[in-house]
Amino acid sequence: MMSLDNIKSDNIESDTHYFGSGRVNLIGEHIDYNGGLVMPIAINLGIKGQYKERKDNNICLYSSSHQKQIIFSADNIPSQYDPENDWCNYPIGVIHALYNDGLKINGFDLSFDSNLPEGSGLSSSAAIEVLTAYILLHQAGNPIHLPALAVLCQKVENEFIGVKCGIMDQFAVANCKKDHALLLNCNTLKYEHVPFELDDYSLLVMNSKKPRSLIKSAYNERKAESEEALRILIEARKLNQGQYLVDADMADISIITDPTIRKRARHVVSENIRVRHAATALRMGDLHTFGRLMNASHQSLKEDYEVSGLELDTLAETAQNIIGCLGARMTGAGFGGCAIALVQKKSIESFSKILSHRYLTVTGLNCEIYECQAEDGVRIIN
Ligand code: ADP
Ligand code: MG
């Protein structure tokens, strides 16, 4: 690393703006690793990226939400995660992966400016990764294959950053379409854009502001419990080798004797059915049915999969009982992060007041509420 003196230098030639959206999963939670379907949207909150070519051969990374800035030579791209590099590890990981794929990397300034909360389950990490990859490929004049770009960025997060996330986040940021949800099979990467038109309703994202502390251990535990359920069903010949837990039906599950494993399996199987019904409801413009499926998803995550908690339950269940709300659920891996609600536009103000007050009373925390639209994923904005 060099000194930071020449950061933001004036040897700039071109200037283009890009946007990497955050994402929220509408339904299909904790079933991506069980062969199931997810249904995220890209949202209007996200990260702006500004690319400026440099005459020297240095790469300079800057973010308005972080103090740390970095400059290094394009001939000497860091090849592994370094805690010293802080947030810059995300773009560096992507630059390094593209370089390894044969992309010629010249000097540039890349600056980020975001209104997407970080660490709240709205995938700011995927947003910054996908945005960086998109910018570099676009600037190089390379054709951009968005599903492949998502896979590259997931690999960066798994291997360079060291976070074992699935493909949903990067795939959503790369491939989502305005006014549509993305119905995605995370194993086959087969996907379909399903209309998400809300007319008199809005999707509200409710940030619990609760740090997601339990998440890693619980995630691994649930994964292991799902694997155990699958093993039992294969042994009992309810499923064949190579099938997934979502391929079981509700009757099959009753043979599982361990009540905890049975509950986990019940969530997985029922949630996948709910995603299919939710997609049908959206295709028919039936938001009332969609809302009921959101409520059922929350209940299943709370009672059968047990990944909710006081904060997310308070947000979702309070929302469900406020007039003008068609449905609400926790979203993301759980224990903190965000919940979502489908709320009549004219009720948003009263809804927000009641919800915030109740949430503060029960948890002592102030939630944040964002009104979100389904937007295009990563894109050029000028
Ligand atoms: P999430 O993806 O749920 O927001 P993560 O912990 O996976 O949470 O990723 C958050 C990290 O991504 C931040 O700590 C930071 O390192 C990086 N990041 C996200 N947005 C930005 C940004 N606008 N500028 C710089 N770094 C960012
Ligand atoms: Mg993330």
Side-chain angles (χ1 to χ4, degrees):
M1 294 299 139
M2 304 171 200
S3 93
L4 297 179
D5 297 347
N6 47 358
I7 268 187
K8 302 240 124 195
S9 67
D10 56 4
N11 53 355
I12 285 157
E13 284 183 344
S14 62
D15 184 344
T16 312
H17 292 79
Y18 301 82
F19 190 76
S21 334
R23 71 93 190 93
V24 73
N25 191 23
L26 297 178
I27 195 159
E29 218 65 76
H30 278 282
I31 55 170
D32 54 339
Y33 51 85
N34 283 306
L37 298 164
V38 296
M39 203 156 69
I41 57 168
I43 55 175
N44 43 309
L45 302 177
I47 307 174
K48 270 190 212 159
Q50 186 177 6
Y51 177 98
K52 293 179 178 178
E53 217 171 276
R54 290 174 69 106
K55 283 181 182 155
D56 64 23
N57 202 33
N58 291 329
I59 294 172
C60 165
L61 302 173
Y62 168 85
S63 169
S64 60
S65 39
H66 291 258
Q67 285 205 321
K68 178 85 182 175
Q69 357 184 332
I70 265 187
I71 188 163
F72 54 93
S73 164
D75 298 326
N76 197 13
I77 300 164
S79 59
Q80 58 187 7
Y81 182 91
D82 179 350
E84 274 286 297
N85 292 341
D86 193 39
W87 68 272
C88 300
N89 281 296
Y90 290 86
I92 289 173
V94 172
I95 296 165
H96 179 254
L98 289 172
Y99 172 76
N100 273 353
D101 271 4
L103 188 73
K104 182 161 169 30
I105 309 278
N106 297 315
F108 59 85
D109 288 345
L110 188 53
S111 54
F112 300 101
D113 188 20
S114 173
N115 63 358
L116 181 65
E118 295 175 22
S120 296
L122 299 178
S123 264
S124 67
S125 62
I128 198 166
E129 290 155 5
V130 170
L131 177 62
T132 303
Y134 186 91
I135 291 174
L136 293 193
L137 291 171
H138 183 255
Q139 287 289 332
N142 280 23
I144 300 177
H145 182 257
L146 292 169
L149 185 140
V151 171
L152 176 130
C153 291
Q154 184 207 8
K155 204 165 167 232
V156 168
E157 182 128 1
N158 289 167
E159 293 173 11
F160 196 96
I161 305 295
V163 174
K164 302 283 167 229
C165 61
I167 186 66
M168 172 171 71
D169 298 352
Q170 289 80 7
F171 210 88
V173 176
N175 295 284
C176 277
K177 203 165 101 177
K178 188 174 171 58
D179 297 329
H180 287 77
L182 183 87
L183 182 63
L184 170 70
N185 180 316
C186 294
N187 282 311
T188 61
L189 299 191
K190 274 197 184 150
Y191 67 96
E192 182 192 331
H193 294 289
V194 179
F196 187 61
E197 281 152 10
L198 297 184
D199 303 322
D200 298 339
Y201 289 84
S202 274
L203 185 80
L204 299 188
V205 174
M206 305 170 286
N207 188 344
S208 70
K209 306 291 279 181
K210 162 108 195 294
R212 297 171 295 173
S213 53
L214 278 168
I215 199 66
K216 214 170 167 183
S217 57
Y219 187 86
N220 292 336
E221 203 178 278
R222 295 301 178 275
K223 236 176 144 171
E225 288 163 343
S226 297
E227 280 159 17
E228 175 63 4
L230 179 63
R231 193 193 60 74
I232 293 168
L233 291 172
I234 290 176
E235 205 175 270
R237 298 188 181 276
K238 297 290 181 190
L239 290 175
N240 298 320
Q241 283 293 348
Q243 283 194 292
Y244 294 101
L245 191 50
V246 291
D247 298 322
D249 59 41
M250 291 303 256
D252 295 337
I253 288 168
S254 58
I255 66 142
I256 301 174
T257 48
D258 181 314
T260 302
I261 304 292
R262 192 168 59 237
K263 280 201 299 185
R264 306 299 189 243
R266 190 164 59 192
H267 167 72
V268 169
V269 173
S270 65
E271 183 76 352
N272 202 51
I273 295 169
R274 279 187 291 273
V275 180
R276 290 186 192 285
H277 287 169
T280 305
L282 287 184
R283 286 187 199 104
M284 292 168 52
D286 180 357
L287 293 180
H288 284 81
T289 298
F290 188 80
R292 282 194 292 274
L293 290 163
M294 289 170 78
N295 293 347
S297 170
H298 184 82
Q299 194 181 355
S300 179
L301 287 158
K302 174 187 177 182
E303 290 171 6
D304 281 351
Y305 221 61
E306 297 181 275
V307 288
S308 185
L310 175 70
E311 293 79 9
L312 291 173
D313 285 343
T314 304
L315 288 175
E317 290 168 358
T318 305
Q320 288 167 7
N321 289 307
I322 300 174
I323 289 174
C325 176
L326 291 185
R329 59 180 287 270
M330 57 156 277
T331 181
F335 298 105
C338 293
I340 51 175
L342 206 51
V343 179
Q344 211 168 21
K345 282 201 167 85
K346 66 177 188 203
S347 308
I348 289 178
E349 211 181 305
S350 56
F351 174 95
S352 303
K353 243 189 216 159
I354 298 168
L355 186 88
S356 308
H357 181 259
R358 173 87 188 143
Y359 187 67
L360 179 63
T361 310
V362 174
T363 67
L365 295 169
N366 285 302
C367 62
E368 283 176 3
I369 302 176
Y370 325 110
E371 188 179 347
C372 288
Q373 288 89 40
E375 289 293 343
D376 285 326
V378 68
R379 61 193 185 269
I380 300 167
I381 51 172
N382 66 349

